[in-house]
Amino acid sequence: MPTYANVIIDISHEKVDKVFQYRVPEQLLDAVTPGVQVNLPFGKGGTIRTGVVVELTETPSYEEEKIKEIVSIEETAVPIESQLIALAAWIKRNYGGTMNAALKTVLPVHKRAQRKEKEILVLAALEEDAQIALAEYERKHFHAKARLLKELLLEGRIPKEFVTGKLHVSAPTIRSLASAGMLTVEKERADYRNPVKHVSGGARGERVLLNEEQRAAADRMIKDFQKGERHTYLLHGVTGSGKTEVYMALIEEVVAAGKQVIMMIPEIALTYQTVMRFYERFHDRVSILNSKMPPGERYDQYLRAKEREIDIIIGPRSALFTPFPELGLIILDEEHETSYKSETIPRYHARETAIARAEMTGASVVLGSATPSMESYYRAKKGDYVLLPLTKRVEERPLPECEIIDLRAELMDGNRSIFSRRLSALMEERLKKEEQIMLFLNRRGMSGFVVCRSCGEAIKCPHCDVSLSLHRDQTLRCHYCGHQIPAVKKCPTCGSPYIGGMKAGTEKVEELVKKQFPQARTLRMDLDTTREKDGYERILTAFSNCEADILIGTQMIVKGHDFPNVTLVGILAADLSLNIPDFHGAERTFDLLTQAAGRAGRGEKSGNVVIQTYHPEHYGIVNAAEQDYDGFYEQEIAYRQIMHYPPVWHMLTILVSEKDEQAAAEGADRIAAQIGREFPKLMLIGPADASIAKVNDYYKKVLYLKDQDYETLIRVKDSVEKTALEDPFFTRLLVRFDFDPAGGF
Ligand code: ADP
Ligand code: ZN
Ligand code: ZN
């Protein structure tokens, strides 16, 4: 009986977003399995395309004669595990986009990388014969030949690299010995490239003794795991409470049971320090992924996972798709981080997707954070997740003491500096004591955006509708599209010469620190200073080695290293993130402040935190100062409830974009009308301009939909997707979906 393959064609266009059926030729019957990529004729001209086989069947869905045949297997492509095909289907259903885009998501490495091969020289002659030849070479002063043969007699096998390098033997010499029958050249597969560079010693990492709370959390998860119970856990541990140690205790158990572990951490926290902690504990059974890795190295890590050479992978969002055959556990550290939500189509959330993958494969999920996302805490409270609290810092270290300083009062008292009097005094004192200080600013660029003081207009990017930032080289730059113009002397709107920077950026802060504290050594960490490879790591290490007294930075300094000598954290302008144009303003502010404050007093010495703000009474700021997560949560969830925002309700953003503003607007109107007809009870907001109304000359219109039922929103998506595909009006329009958005489009 003939076998048919249902195939997703590798074209990310809505028009071909369905399965196509092909016949599997006799000679390929063994090789074609779900997940394999194949070459096949596609379209009218029969152009050869590749596609992924998602299913095999014996019943044709079309007339026999119309079904074409697969041509061959695409040997250069990486096959997709069938588990991950199911996950791709889940992603497509829950977040929109094409199946092809979803398959690309679960397969971050597409091409097989060239495997490195090593050449080995092997002694081929009998030892006696080799000895005779050696004597002959020495007599004739054939030094190179003698050197090589002597070494071969000692070692038997030598890598060619070593021979041409250390032994200074040339290729003709090797060939000559080979033709004399002294040696043969063998090819050997090079070791998998291991990104974790060799550590000296390799001694077992020192074990800490878990404290009572850590032990209780770890035991609960371990016992469940041993009983075969699988759950999603929320490990809510204050900063410095030792969450990582709890993860490691659990990981050890899961690995001992022969299962594998995915440990996701935000890219920014993937520091040498973190990796070393895992490497010292789990040795070469652990590996890492990061976005700077070349594809070959990434591919190797996937292969090592598949072939069970490693048990643990550590990496950012994409690590979720590591093809472990027997996945037992997925951990998301800092689960509240927005980087867990994809910003490209499909806009999947790694947390929900991890839970879906875990359900498909019988794994547990652990979410960890000092400031859990509203979503996770809400679900934990409802009983969907198991809540495990760690309320104390390890070794009973106290939480830092936080003070809120009202910047309005400072100004009224005549202090025009960006440092309040209290912060200045504490900085002075800590510098004297040779303790370290972190200054946190939620900005980059020298003076932030530029505003005309006469007419109030900010200078904006003509393509993106966002404020341009003034840089030290006297250019104004757009942070979205990179558009750049020289700094202006006069307001382009009204001609006024009174034009200037509004708020200080990190460079400016550094300048001011140096002015006020000339003796202080400073380091600055922001997008500009970390652009080069390892820039981030280099700055953290320097600060860690006490090569500077003050580290000034953006949110990048909030996580990563532990700095035991930091006893003062200054938050210069706590309000800035309150103004982000979506409903997460308070949550992001609370997270940032709590995490930033948590940097102080992590060592033996206790710490102080000074929060400077224009909104000293805001609950996001007050609760952060008190390190009161529950207090914040109660107020924020009440607000979400009243406003029908996630997590209490679900939200779907639909984006419509086109170069022609009129067409974009009409498209959005038509979609709104359709939803009004088909889902009259649904709460619909808009259409409106996106928070950034124009990007790269595309006009963007958005619609927001809210409902208590996620499934209803999926049905809306399916219906709008259908219209966008079938209605000719939408041919040139882009229609995109974002479920429970983390930011704006
Ligand atoms: P978190 O991830 O909650 O911020 P970590 O797991 O990084 O905390 O722990 C902070 C520091 O405390 C680390 O240096 C860790 O080695 C140490 N630590 C964790 N648990 C213990 C413990 N039970 N006893 C002693 N030190 C611990
Ligand atoms: Zn003006
Ligand atoms: Zn721009």
Side-chain angles (χ1 to χ4, degrees):
M1 222 192 308
T3 301
Y4 304 92
N6 290 336
V7 179
I8 297 286
I9 311 295
D10 185 8
I11 305 172
S12 263
H13 193 289
E14 287 81 356
K15 288 248 172 356
V16 292
D17 188 28
K18 56 181 177 187
V19 292
F20 291 85
Q21 200 167 57
Y22 285 82
R23 194 174 14 258
V24 184
E26 195 85 21
Q27 73 276 14
L28 292 181
L29 275 177
D30 290 336
V32 174
T33 52
V36 163
Q37 305 205 32
V38 291
N39 297 309
L40 34 75
F42 185 76
K44 289 208 182 69
T47 319
I48 301 298
R49 293 274 188 179
T50 48
V52 178
V53 175
V54 291
E55 199 181 19
L56 292 176
T57 170
E58 302 203 321
T59 36
S61 323
Y62 305 91
E63 285 169 56
E64 273 282 345
E65 312 79 74
K66 289 198 176 155
I67 302 180
K68 294 182 217 163
E69 224 170 51
I70 288 173
V71 175
S72 60
I73 304 276
E74 176 53 50
E75 300 285 354
T76 65
V78 181
I80 306 178
E81 308 296 299
S82 49
Q83 248 183 44
L84 291 173
I85 292 178
L87 191 62
W90 183 91
I91 289 175
K92 173 184 160 52
R93 180 178 140 73
N94 281 270
Y95 300 102
T98 62
M99 185 62 184
N100 188 47
L103 287 170
K104 288 234 152 82
T105 302
V106 301
L107 190 68
V109 184
H110 308 294
K111 288 267 177 244
R112 283 176 208 272
Q114 200 58 48
R115 243 305 133 65
K116 265 199 199 154
E117 275 188 341
K118 222 161 48 173
E119 285 184 312
I120 311 281
L121 306 187
V122 185
L123 182 65
L126 292 173
E127 194 176 332
E128 294 164 12
D129 296 341
Q131 291 292 2
I132 294 166
L134 176 60
E136 175 80 0
Y137 295 152
E138 281 175 338
R139 198 176 54 79
K140 291 187 180 164
H141 301 286
F142 291 165
H143 298 301
K145 286 185 181 178
R147 201 156 57 235
L148 174 53
L149 196 52
K150 212 173 186 170
E151 203 67 27
L152 272 173
L153 275 162
L154 277 172
E155 299 288 332
R157 304 165 62 83
I158 315 172
K160 186 173 165 189
E161 251 177 34
F162 181 78
V163 173
T164 51
K166 290 263 163 52
L167 291 183
H168 299 294
V169 174
S170 67
T173 308
I174 296 171
R175 275 200 297 276
S176 151
L177 279 194
S179 58
M182 290 294 126
L183 64 81
T184 54
V185 181
E186 283 180 11
K187 287 199 160 90
E188 189 174 83
R189 199 178 80 175
D191 284 345
Y192 285 112
R193 283 155 276 186
N194 187 345
V196 185
K197 297 284 177 287
H198 237 69
V199 244
S200 53
R204 281 257 153 203
E206 256 176 64
R207 293 298 173 90
V208 300
L209 204 58
L210 295 187
N211 65 30
E212 217 170 290
E213 280 187 329
Q214 286 172 312
R215 191 73 262 165
D219 281 349
R220 165 71 202 261
M221 296 190 282
I222 290 169
K223 288 220 175 76
D224 286 352
F225 188 82
Q226 287 168 341
K227 279 189 285 183
E229 279 182 27
R230 299 292 180 263
H231 297 289
T232 298
Y233 303 90
L234 175 58
L235 186 61
H236 176 207
V238 298
T239 55
S241 57
K243 291 182 286 297
T244 311
E245 292 296 331
V246 176
Y247 302 147
M248 291 202 283
L250 177 61
I251 290 171
E252 204 151 61
E253 202 57 42
V254 173
V255 168
K259 305 257 181 178
Q260 296 96 39
V261 181
I262 294 170
M263 169 92 200
M264 281 187 272
I265 64 182
E267 177 95 34
I268 198 95
L270 190 60
T271 58
Y272 185 71
Q273 220 184 28
T274 316
V275 172
M276 285 313 290
R277 274 174 81 180
F278 278 87
Y279 196 69
E280 279 165 10
R281 182 86 164 244
F282 300 104
H283 306 269
D284 53 3
R285 302 301 297 175
V286 60
S287 192
I288 60 166
L289 287 173
N290 67 53
S291 63
K292 294 203 183 91
M293 232 175 211
E297 218 167 301
R298 281 182 151 254
Y299 175 61
D300 273 358
Q301 305 324 310
Y302 283 119
L303 267 193
R304 298 177 74 206
K306 199 161 150 173
E307 292 173 7
R308 311 186 70 141
E309 261 191 49
I310 51 170
D311 304 311
I312 306 153
I313 195 96
I314 307 176
R317 197 172 65 218
S318 59
L320 176 56
F321 307 112
T322 306
F324 278 125
E326 279 191 73
L327 188 62
L329 174 66
I330 307 174
I331 298 171
L332 271 87
D333 190 30
E334 311 283 2
E335 67 88 29
H336 62 280
E337 277 289 314
T338 50
S339 62
Y340 283 125
K341 175 105 197 233
S342 168
E343 289 189 324
T344 54
I345 305 294
R347 289 191 158 206
Y348 70 96
H349 199 298
R351 186 199 312 126
E352 317 307 328
T353 312
I355 292 169
R357 183 168 185 200
E359 268 168 16
M360 290 173 187
T361 55
S364 280
V365 177
V366 178
L367 313 171
S369 175
T371 54
S373 61
M374 292 299 291
E375 279 76 12
S376 296
Y377 209 66
Y378 181 71
R379 294 213 188 118
K381 287 208 145 191
K382 278 208 312 192
D384 297 348
Y385 305 162
V386 179
L387 185 61
L388 301 170
L390 300 177
T391 58
K392 292 196 267 303
R393 280 187 158 185
V394 296
E395 300 182 325
E396 309 281 325
R397 277 170 206 151
L399 283 166
E401 201 169 304
C402 290
E403 302 163 64
I404 298 175
I405 303 293
D406 185 348
L407 286 174
R408 295 169 306 186
E410 289 290 313
L411 199 63
M412 271 197 300
D413 291 347
N415 176 17
R416 293 171 168 278
S417 154
I418 59 165
F419 307 117
S420 60
R421 289 158 296 179
R422 175 67 178 153
L423 182 56
S424 291
L426 283 171
M427 284 171 72
E428 190 78 57
E429 186 216 2
R430 297 302 142 94
L431 286 171
K432 267 201 198 104
K433 286 209 254 170
E434 297 190 352
E435 292 173 2
Q436 285 177 299
I437 301 166
M438 286 168 95
L439 295 178
F440 168 61
L441 186 74
N442 197 359
R443 290 287 296 175
R444 66 181 273 248
M446 192 172 94
S447 323
F449 47 90
V450 172
V451 176
C452 169
R453 285 189 241 163
S454 302
C455 75
E457 285 293 311
I459 299 180
K460 291 187 167 183
C461 171
H463 310 290
C464 302
D465 200 33
V466 294
S467 308
L468 296 176
S469 293
L470 181 61
H471 282 243
R472 175 173 267 171
D473 61 0
Q474 293 302 306
T475 57
L476 286 166
R477 291 189 215 165
C478 169
H479 285 171
Y480 278 84
C481 74
H483 179 76
Q484 186 173 331
I485 56 167
V488 289
K489 300 267 184 302
K490 272 195 265 178
C491 170
T493 310
C494 75
S496 160
Y498 296 105
I499 187 154
M502 266 286 280
K503 294 201 172 86
T506 38
E507 280 179 58
K508 188 81 186 168
V509 172
E510 188 176 31
E511 241 177 73
L512 294 170
V513 167
K514 284 191 165 143
K515 221 180 197 168
Q516 196 171 335
F517 306 98
Q519 78 279 24
R521 298 164 304 159
T522 59
L523 273 172
R524 176 165 63 87
M525 180 147 79
D526 53 27
L527 276 185
D528 291 325
T529 58
T530 54
R531 191 154 306 163
E532 71 198 81
K533 197 169 169 277
D534 301 330
Y536 177 75
E537 197 72 50
R538 195 170 38 74
I539 295 168
L540 288 180
T541 308
F543 192 58
S544 186
N545 294 338
C546 295
E547 286 164 31
D549 307 300
I550 305 179
L551 175 62
I552 301 154
T554 56
Q555 34 271 60
M556 289 180 181
I557 64 174
V558 168
K559 46 194 67 76
H561 279 214
D562 242 357
F563 302 111
N565 197 37
V566 170
T567 57
L568 175 62
V569 170
I571 294 158
L572 298 177
D575 320 82
L576 290 174
S577 50
L578 286 176
N579 302 323
I580 55 174
D582 75 82
F583 68 86
H584 294 95
E587 185 179 1
R588 303 277 178 265
T589 304
F590 176 81
D591 289 353
L592 274 174
L593 299 189
T594 310
Q595 303 271 354
R599 294 285 112 197
R602 287 171 78 98
E604 309 281 298
K605 300 165 214 152
S606 64
N608 282 73
V609 179
V610 175
I611 299 176
Q612 305 188 152
T613 175
Y614 290 98
H615 296 93
E617 70 299 325
H618 191 283
Y619 68 94
I621 290 170
V622 174
N623 284 304
E626 286 166 9
Q627 303 262 312
D628 182 0
Y629 179 85
D630 281 282
F632 171 76
Y633 175 83
E634 290 306 331
Q635 268 170 292
E636 181 66 10
I637 203 75
Y639 157 73
R640 304 281 177 98
Q641 177 92 51
I642 293 166
M643 299 298 294
H644 298 169
Y645 279 134
V648 187
W649 283 44
H650 290 288
M651 195 158 147
L652 169 62
T653 312
I654 303 179
L655 169 85
V656 183
S657 59
E658 224 299 47
K659 281 199 166 174
D660 171 8
E661 186 170 17
Q662 203 56 42
E666 188 178 340
D669 286 340
R670 286 187 184 210
I671 289 173
Q674 179 190 343
I675 294 170
R677 268 193 321 273
E678 293 175 9
F679 302 88
K681 289 209 203 92
L682 209 66
M683 200 181 284
L684 188 152
I685 301 145
D689 285 345
S691 61
I692 297 151
K694 191 180 165 200
V695 173
N696 277 330
D697 296 322
Y698 270 80
Y699 287 91
K700 305 193 350 172
K701 306 286 171 191
V702 283
L703 286 159
Y704 296 95
L705 301 158
K706 295 193 250 184
D707 199 78
Q708 279 170 298
D709 183 24
Y710 198 99
E711 286 297 317
T712 306
L713 296 180
I714 290 181
R715 282 193 285 122
V716 173
K717 180 250 311 173
D718 289 344
S719 165
V720 173
E721 223 165 32
K722 194 158 182 286
T723 305
L725 184 62
E726 291 169 2
D727 183 340
F729 175 82
F730 285 92
T731 311
R732 281 171 35 229
L733 292 174
L734 279 176
V735 179
R736 296 283 179 261
F737 303 91
D738 191 3
F739 284 83
D740 289 346
F745 258 117

